[in-house]
Amino acid sequence: QVQLVESGGGLVQAGGSLRLACAASGRTFSSSTVGWFRQAPGKEREFVAAIRWSSGITASADSVKGRFTISRDNAKKMVVLQMNKLKPEDTAVYYCAAKIGYTTDWSGGYDYWGQGTQVTVSS
């Protein structure tokens, strides 16, 4: 079993930055993929970014490329999403998710989910 807890959400002005963290507990992450998703009011949940734990290989959605960076801290068993140049359209609840193993589908197949953290970007 895996438990995921997000932190770092909040209110920021457009152009600002926020750092989200996902702390993991439970089984080892050595062969896992950890991702970030978001869901805005009235919209479907969408993939933001993900990282393969062992190699550090990452993928991200086109909408956040060049602005968001995903990374991991092995010692702390934590995945960080650094969000820069935030836009009002980035406003959403952000969720951390994990799946065991690697697939070519970065956005699907996640088994474990956190409770989410709210990010609000004002214009």
Side-chain angles (χ1 to χ4, degrees):
Q1 192 72 358
V2 174
Q3 294 80 42
L4 303 170
V5 178
E6 303 95 337
S7 62
L11 173 64
V12 66
Q13 287 189 332
S17 299
L18 279 175
R19 178 180 177 273
L20 303 184
C22 174
S25 61
R27 63 168 293 165
T28 180
F29 265 10
S30 62
S31 60
S32 300
T33 300
V34 180
W36 285 95
F37 293 75
R38 65 187 182 186
Q39 187 166 21
K43 294 188 177 181
E44 292 188 355
R45 185 174 61 199
E46 64 173 350
F47 170 77
V48 176
I51 186 167
R52 291 179 179 170
W53 193 267
S54 60
S55 66
I57 294 173
T58 64
S60 59
D62 288 343
S63 59
V64 304
K65 275 188 169 72
R67 301 189 299 124
F68 292 10
T69 302
I70 188 170
S71 61
R72 80 222 188 288
D73 184 325
N74 285 334
K76 295 181 179 179
K77 289 184 74 174
M78 184 175 292
V79 171
V80 171
L81 184 68
Q82 178 66 43
M83 305 186 297
N84 300 325
K85 301 178 183 178
L86 282 161
K87 305 175 181 179
E89 51 263 44
D90 294 319
T91 295
V93 177
Y94 283 70
Y95 297 91
C96 176
K99 61 180 175 180
I100 308 305
Y102 311 127
T103 68
T104 56
D105 179 12
W106 287 92
S107 64
Y110 288 82
D111 302 303
Y112 306 99
W113 293 84
Q115 294 299 308
T117 184
Q118 177 70 47
V119 170
T120 303
V121 185
S122 63
S123 57

